[in-house]
Every structure is written in structure tokens, then in C-alpha cells.
Amino acid sequence: MELYFLGTNAGVPTLQRNVTSIGLRMLDERRALWLFDCGEGTQHQILSSPLKLSKLEKIFITHLHGDHVFGLPGLLSSRAYQGGTTPLTVYGPPGTERMIMTTMELSQSRLNYDLSIVEHTGGVLFEDESFIVESALLEHRIDSYGYRITEKDRPGSLDPAKMAEYGLKPGPLFGRLKRGETITLDNGDSLRPEDVLGAPKRGMVITILGDTRPCDNVQPLAINADVLVHEATFLHDLADTAHEYYHSTSKQAAEAARAADAGQLIMTHFSSRYKDEDQLQPLLEEAQSIFPNTKLAIEHELIPVVHRKSES
């Protein structure tokens, strides 16, 4: 899995940064792309990226402020022209469906793919054999949600030495064991997957928060996450301003990552007062003094998701 930041600015776009949108590329896991928020200009940013709308499977909206959703109608309308004809599901807070459908109706837009819209107020939003997506309410001027994406543990690798002990050679039986099936050997004995598989491979956990000031639901969403994506709109010398506008500082983002024992913190949603990467360095230094494994979200940078601690 890889994160790709399409927009990292707060409020309005600038010449240096676009407004919020984050791609989660999951080509190895499910040959899919998930998108988190869709600020104005997102589809244009995608044209300059390695992301493909033909792979887009789900969009998760954190909240309905314009810098997080004004790019959504355009992207939905033009997705098919970039090869996106497979079903698409949009998850968002109450009001998401009305916003999308009103825009589509008034613009007389026609979609040639199946669009599902799931409104929620938190909880488990999606689960299949590979992933669970949960959400919880944060603290912002309007309802804003954070998302926790948990990849389920995967079977361990086949142990060649153990397979040889049972006289097994590469073939269909290998696949059945990897899928968790018990097989019958030529001598009639049963062979369980756990007899020849290594330890399960721990799945990744990614937490992506919407706009928020510090609140109780941050930690349960972020606990033990391999990667925490947290807004850091201001330096901490503007903590009063951040609180007034329901945002967080870089210090508060770092404190959240440390309290949750996250593996890595990626800060985003920067105030336009910080014009370029050089002016963002004080935010990075402030956060790293509390949580060293912190980085700034840089647009058009592909960030691999790695385990927070090495597997034993």
C-alpha cells in the first residue's frame, strides 16, 4: 500500500499547494485505489500522478467543507472518460448524497457506471475478507470524521522444508493450503495449513483524520496505527487560533501520534500562511521534537506504508 497526496493545503489552493485529497493505492492488495476527500482540482492533480481513475473503488469524505468536496462532482462526472466504468462507492457524513445528487441533477450529468452513496455517523463502514474500515466523529465546526483502515492478517508463507517433509511439490495443493484449507495426502493423512505455514503476516493499519482540534476520538482511531495522517494547520504559537477555528497545531499532531504509539506521522492541511516547503520546516521540527518519525505531506510524493515495528 502507498499513500499519495494530491492536495495538502487548508482552506483554499495556492500556487504551491492544492486543497485536500489523499490517494491510497492498493495495487498488490486488491488492484484498487481509494480516495480520501476530493477538494477542488483533484481530478486535475490525478492527471499529473501515477493514480488511475480506472482503479478507483471507494471515496471516503471526511466532512462537507468545500476544500474537501468541491472537486467531487467533476471527478464523478468525468471519471468514465479516464477508463473508470466499474462500480464506485462514496462514503460520507449526512448530506453527502444530497450534495452529489443535486449537483448531478442540475448539471444533467449522466454516469455510465454504478454509483453508491453511503452516509454514516461513524462505526464499521465496510468489511470484507481483507479489510475493515471504521470511522468516528472528530471535533470541527461541522461534523468531521476520521477513518481507520485495517488490513486483516494474511496467511504466512509456505515453509519449503516442511513441505518437503510431507513429500509435497509445487502445484494446486500449495494454493489450497495458502487459502486455509486442510488437504488429504496420498497416504490418507490430513495436512492442516498451520503444519506447513509460517506465522501470519500482520496487516497494515492506516488512520486518516479529517479536520479536527484535539479530541477524545483521535486516540482510538489512531492506536497502534502504522501511519497516522493528521492535520497540522498551524505552528503551536498559534494554538489559540487553531482552537478557535477547530484545527490542530503540529505539536498537537505529534502528541496524538505519540499517545497512540503510531509508527509514523504524516502532517498535512497546512495554512496558506506557510508559502512553501522551507516555511513548513518549523512545523516539521516542532513535531519531530515530540515524535521523531514525522514527515510533511508533499504533493505528488508516493509514500510506501510500512509496519510500525519489524515483525519478529
Side-chain angles (χ1 to χ4, degrees):
M1 286 188 286
E2 300 154 317
L3 286 165
Y4 192 92
F5 287 82
L6 295 157
T8 62
N9 215 55
V12 295
T14 67
L15 292 175
Q16 295 79 24
R17 298 191 299 270
N18 201 49
V19 285
T20 299
S21 184
I22 305 167
L24 176 60
R25 197 166 72 162
M26 315 161 80
L27 298 185
D28 291 338
E29 294 79 11
R30 59 194 301 127
R31 298 185 61 81
L33 167 67
W34 290 2
L35 203 62
F36 292 81
D37 284 337
C38 191
E40 181 182 359
T42 293
Q43 65 171 319
H44 189 82
Q45 292 285 82
I46 288 174
L47 291 175
S48 303
S49 82
L51 307 183
K52 304 296 182 185
L53 288 181
S54 59
K55 302 292 185 185
L56 183 59
E57 181 185 38
K58 297 180 182 298
I59 301 175
F60 297 89
I61 300 299
T62 62
H63 64 295
L64 297 179
H65 275 154
D67 58 320
H68 294 255
V69 298
F70 280 171
L72 188 56
L75 184 144
L76 294 177
S77 298
S78 62
R79 174 177 177 252
Y81 295 104
Q82 297 184 48
T85 56
T86 53
L88 174 64
T89 304
V90 177
Y91 300 83
T96 300
E97 182 172 15
R98 181 158 59 98
M99 182 201 70
I100 292 173
M101 299 314 295
T102 298
T103 304
M104 293 297 166
E105 178 184 352
L106 293 177
S107 63
Q108 297 187 24
S109 299
R110 303 269 192 276
L111 304 183
N112 60 350
Y113 57 87
D114 292 334
L115 175 66
S116 300
I117 302 171
V118 178
E119 295 188 342
H120 68 85
T121 54
V124 176
L125 307 182
F126 169 78
E127 182 173 4
D128 65 5
E129 67 278 1
S130 302
F131 285 89
I132 302 174
V133 181
E134 303 165 273
S135 181
L137 184 65
L138 302 173
E139 193 169 310
H140 194 48
R141 288 194 295 115
I142 62 174
D143 285 356
S144 178
Y145 289 85
Y147 294 98
R148 179 181 176 92
I149 306 97
T150 302
E151 180 187 23
K152 295 182 179 179
D153 292 347
R154 293 164 290 162
S157 300
L158 291 168
D159 186 324
K162 291 182 179 179
M163 298 293 284
E165 289 178 14
Y166 292 98
L168 289 173
K169 297 179 180 180
L173 293 179
F174 277 38
R176 291 179 58 189
L177 288 165
K178 284 285 289 183
R179 291 192 296 271
E181 300 178 24
T182 296
I183 65 171
T184 301
L185 302 175
D186 291 341
N187 63 6
D189 291 342
S190 294
L191 181 65
R192 302 169 302 168
E194 54 265 37
D195 295 329
V196 292
L197 291 176
K201 297 177 181 178
R202 182 173 66 82
M204 302 287 190
V205 177
I206 301 168
T207 299
I208 299 175
L209 303 184
D211 291 5
T212 188
R213 59 189 183 189
C215 66
D216 291 342
N217 276 343
V218 168
Q219 186 167 2
L221 283 169
I223 192 73
N224 295 333
D226 296 291
V227 177
L228 168 62
V229 179
H230 197 302
E231 71 133 286
T233 307
F234 301 106
L235 272 165
H236 201 67
D237 61 1
L238 292 173
D240 289 345
T241 300
H243 184 82
E244 179 183 356
Y245 289 98
Y246 292 83
H247 286 298
S248 296
T249 67
S250 49
K251 178 182 177 182
Q252 290 165 341
E255 290 171 340
R258 183 176 62 184
D261 194 21
Q264 182 182 40
L265 169 65
I266 304 177
M267 298 190 301
T268 187
H269 199 268
F270 308 117
S271 168
S272 56
R273 71 178 57 218
Y274 310 112
K275 300 300 182 185
D276 53 33
E277 198 170 335
D278 288 342
Q279 292 188 19
L280 289 174
Q281 287 305 304
L283 283 82
L284 180 62
E285 293 166 7
E286 183 172 79
Q288 287 180 334
S289 69
I290 297 167
F291 189 81
N293 196 14
T294 299
K295 69 178 302 177
L296 301 170
I298 304 299
E299 293 180 21
H300 297 295
E301 179 179 347
L302 199 61
I303 303 174
V305 178
V306 298
H307 284 296
R308 55 187 285 274
K309 293 179 181 177
S310 299
E311 294 179 291
S312 57

